[in-house]
Amino acid sequence: METGMQRRSAVVDLGSNSVRLVVFEGVSRNPLPIFNEKAVLRLGRGLTATGRLNDEGVGMAMEVLSRFHAIARAMQADPFEVLATAAVRDASNGPAFVEMLRQSMPGVPVRILSGKEEADHSAIGVMCGIPGADGLVADVGGGSLELIHLTESGRHDATTLPLGMIRLADRSGGDLDVAKQLTDQDIDGVEWLSGVKGRPLYLVGGAFRALARLQIARTQYPLNIVHYYTLDVQEAREMTGWLQNSSRRSLERLPGAPRKRLDDIPFAAVVLRRLMKKLQPSKIVFCVDGLREGWYMMNVAPSCLSQDPMESVARDMCARFGRSNTLPEILWTWTRCIKPEETAEEQHLRRIACWLSDIGSHDHPEYRAEQTYLRILRVQGAGFDHRARVWLSLALAVRYSVDMSAPALMPSFTLLTEEERRDAVACGLALRLAYSLSGGAGGLLEGTSLEWEGQELVLTLTSARVTVKGESVRRGLERLGQALGVRTRFEVELAV
């Protein structure tokens, strides 16, 4: 491996519809893909009728896998593994196809996952991307639908059903009414599903992601990020009805429409609609992490899964873009009085904000606030739901004196409640005040305190090193008081 290069790993997800190579860099709580390429093979087309892999798809697969093999080896990925799923698992010529792959890629493990193993990989991927996920995971592919029950204590029941998009289209002869009947029959046969009624439904897989992309475009949702995109049941029911009744041409006109997935859209909508009817979930959450990320956490970074993914991302960004890795903990203590009765979630967001509070230090001053806002809003990292993204983005933009009328802030004003926006602004102003006092030097900040005295917020200087009565500090304290709706006072209490 080249000098200075981090460890790399790679996995090929060989599915019924497509094949994808992902190369990950490093070993961390949040998988970092540095190469991601997909090819549509339709290996599972016609499998229901013939029992065999599609001949054209097999020929394409050999060419594509040869390329992927060369890329992974050139990038010195280790481990490197090929995971074959439903189509290869169920086809009569699946074993022969796998043997051809092994001969063309000597030394590369090629595994045919069982339905339970596939579901397990997907569940771990969801746990990676959505910490604390508790409900039903539904991972749809071209050949199968994997269902697995997640709770805080781990992974439980798992079932694979022949409801992948290619297979369902083949089984139903392309008739959506028949597809609904087949889906109901298959889902009704899963007895343990009654135990997850009323719980969240987590959707994984390309066809489900395509539903989210179309809904985001159609509703002009302000954040074009599928991961953690969440709908209530009424919204999801309306979405599936729209998708089942829309023409391909009308869907193609939407910005960013996933054209290669449009034939799958009506069948994906059917499967989701029937799942909702059966489960009556509390909410529907889309997750981009699945089988490949599950493989990474199982084979590359198993010891990292218990870490807080948001804090892991924030610490990494602090190390790359900030000036101090000790100041965040000091800020965490110093800002604790902003909201005396914080919930655990609010406290967590404030902690992450402290770790992210200096990531704009090297940006151009004229663009620092907006750049910080966008960097956090669009960060690639597991664990950041949409509310966390827009809250943290706003707080850190305020820390850098953002113009509150800037159009870039629109996602925060759209997705946060008035109270949430007020809390984010107060956090940002407190961080701005802390940096005005200390210049980013933790030792100076420790010579100050910010505390409540009755209904007043009092900034006290206790060290001669920081007896700063500058106008910027006074203005900063006043702005924080205005945001909180309280009076403020500035005191100097030097030790004798």
Side-chain angles (χ1 to χ4, degrees):
M1 186 169 289
E2 296 176 14
T3 303
M5 182 186 294
Q6 293 192 55
R7 176 185 175 185
R8 290 173 176 172
S9 53
V11 62
V12 171
D13 178 0
L14 182 57
S16 304
N17 180 62
S18 62
V19 59
R20 185 185 295 271
L21 168 68
V22 180
V23 180
F24 298 101
E25 183 156 271
V27 180
S28 70
R29 174 58 181 80
N30 299 294
L32 177 62
I34 58 171
F35 183 87
N36 188 326
E37 185 174 302
K38 180 184 78 169
V40 177
L41 304 178
R42 296 274 179 175
L43 271 176
R45 178 182 291 167
L47 178 63
T48 300
T50 67
R52 295 174 56 82
L53 297 172
N54 181 275
D55 289 337
E56 183 181 355
V58 168
M60 291 173 60
M62 297 305 296
E63 293 180 9
V64 172
L65 267 294
S66 176
R67 166 179 160 74
F68 285 175
H69 182 215
I71 291 170
R73 287 300 183 227
M75 298 182 77
Q76 302 182 36
D78 183 21
F80 170 44
E81 192 168 8
V82 177
L83 305 180
T85 56
V88 178
R89 179 170 67 233
D90 297 339
S92 60
N93 59 337
F97 172 59
V98 167
E99 185 57 34
M100 289 170 58
L101 290 178
R102 287 173 176 153
Q103 291 180 11
S104 68
M105 298 185 296
V108 177
V110 181
R111 282 203 294 142
I112 302 177
L113 297 181
S114 68
K116 185 174 181 180
E117 288 174 325
E118 187 175 350
D120 203 41
H121 278 67
S122 296
I124 294 173
V126 172
M127 292 168 64
C128 171
I130 303 180
D134 188 338
L136 180 72
V137 173
D139 183 1
V140 71
S144 62
L145 172 72
E146 274 64 51
L147 301 175
I148 188 163
H149 181 193
L150 274 186
T151 69
E152 290 183 1
S153 61
R155 309 179 300 282
H156 301 283
D157 309 280
T159 299
T160 185
L161 299 174
L163 293 175
M165 296 300 93
I166 295 176
R167 187 168 298 183
L168 182 57
D170 285 348
R171 290 173 66 199
S172 64
D175 187 318
L176 289 184
D177 289 331
V178 175
K180 292 174 186 177
Q181 296 172 12
L182 293 170
T183 303
D184 282 339
Q185 290 171 12
D186 290 346
I187 291 174
D188 287 342
V190 184
E191 296 180 359
W192 58 264
L193 283 180
S194 59
V196 292
K197 275 190 174 181
R199 306 271 288 287
L201 174 59
Y202 301 95
L203 301 181
V204 180
F208 283 151
R209 289 196 299 272
L211 302 187
R213 289 194 180 97
L214 290 168
Q215 179 74 350
I216 285 171
R218 174 202 182 201
T219 60
Q220 297 182 319
Y221 183 76
L223 200 54
N224 190 22
I225 295 176
V226 170
H227 188 57
Y228 255 121
Y229 180 57
T230 302
L231 300 173
D232 62 33
V233 172
Q234 183 176 349
E235 290 170 328
R237 187 178 293 116
E238 192 277 335
M239 175 190 73
T240 55
W242 161 63
L243 289 169
Q244 289 179 62
N245 293 298
S246 294
S247 67
R248 180 187 175 98
R249 179 171 294 181
S250 66
L251 296 179
E252 284 178 336
R253 286 198 289 264
L254 289 169
R259 293 175 180 270
K260 292 182 179 180
R261 288 283 184 185
L262 291 183
D263 290 337
D264 298 334
I265 293 300
F267 295 97
V270 163
V271 171
L272 175 54
R273 187 72 169 263
R274 310 325 284 177
L275 279 172
M276 289 193 297
K277 180 182 178 183
K278 177 76 174 181
L279 301 170
Q280 299 175 14
S282 58
K283 60 182 177 180
I284 290 86
V285 185
F286 292 87
C287 180
V288 301
D289 291 339
L291 182 144
R292 297 176 292 273
E293 291 73 22
W295 174 88
Y296 173 90
M297 298 310 297
M298 294 170 72
N299 293 275
V300 180
S303 63
C304 297
L305 189 58
S306 61
Q307 298 173 5
D308 178 350
M310 287 176 64
E311 186 162 332
S312 179
V313 169
R315 284 174 177 265
D316 179 63
M317 293 179 73
C318 176
R320 283 187 291 141
F321 302 121
R323 293 169 292 177
S324 169
N325 61 3
T326 58
L327 182 61
E329 290 293 345
I330 298 171
L331 288 169
W332 161 242
T333 301
W334 196 86
T335 59
R336 69 186 183 278
C337 67
I338 301 171
K339 191 172 184 179
E341 297 181 359
E342 283 179 312
T343 65
E345 183 182 6
E346 290 168 340
Q347 192 177 77
H348 185 228
L349 282 175
R350 180 172 60 83
R351 180 172 180 80
I352 302 305
C354 290
W355 277 98
L356 294 171
S357 61
D358 202 35
I359 65 170
S361 61
H362 297 93
D363 293 326
H364 192 289
E366 294 296 329
Y367 298 98
R368 187 172 287 153
E370 185 172 333
Q371 179 69 13
T372 298
Y373 183 89
L374 295 176
R375 183 177 285 138
I376 297 171
L377 187 74
R378 299 169 180 174
V379 64
Q380 179 169 301
F384 281 88
D385 65 23
H386 290 196
R387 176 179 169 274
R389 286 176 183 272
V390 296
W391 193 98
L392 290 165
S393 297
L394 180 59
L396 274 301
V398 169
R399 174 265 188 270
Y400 284 117
S401 305
V402 73
D403 178 354
M404 293 297 286
S405 65
L409 304 185
M410 186 269 291
S412 294
F413 281 88
T414 303
L415 298 180
L416 294 177
T417 66
E418 184 177 347
E419 181 181 357
E420 289 168 342
R421 289 196 302 271
R422 187 167 57 246
D423 289 346
V425 168
C427 180
L429 289 172
L431 290 169
R432 191 196 308 180
L433 176 59
Y435 278 93
S436 293
L437 280 164
S438 67
L444 294 182
L445 194 61
E446 288 179 323
T448 73
S449 67
L450 189 64
E451 304 287 349
W452 289 99
E453 291 186 10
Q455 297 299 310
E456 268 191 325
L457 187 62
V458 181
L459 172 62
T460 304
L461 306 184
T462 58
S463 169
R465 298 169 61 200
V466 287
T467 53
V468 179
K469 299 181 182 179
E471 191 61 25
S472 64
V473 172
R474 290 190 180 278
R475 284 200 310 269
L477 180 60
E478 289 172 2
R479 289 194 192 99
L480 178 57
Q482 290 168 3
L484 295 172
V486 299
R487 292 179 300 173
T488 59
R489 192 169 76 249
F490 197 144
E491 289 192 353
V492 177
E493 295 180 359
L494 302 183
V496 178

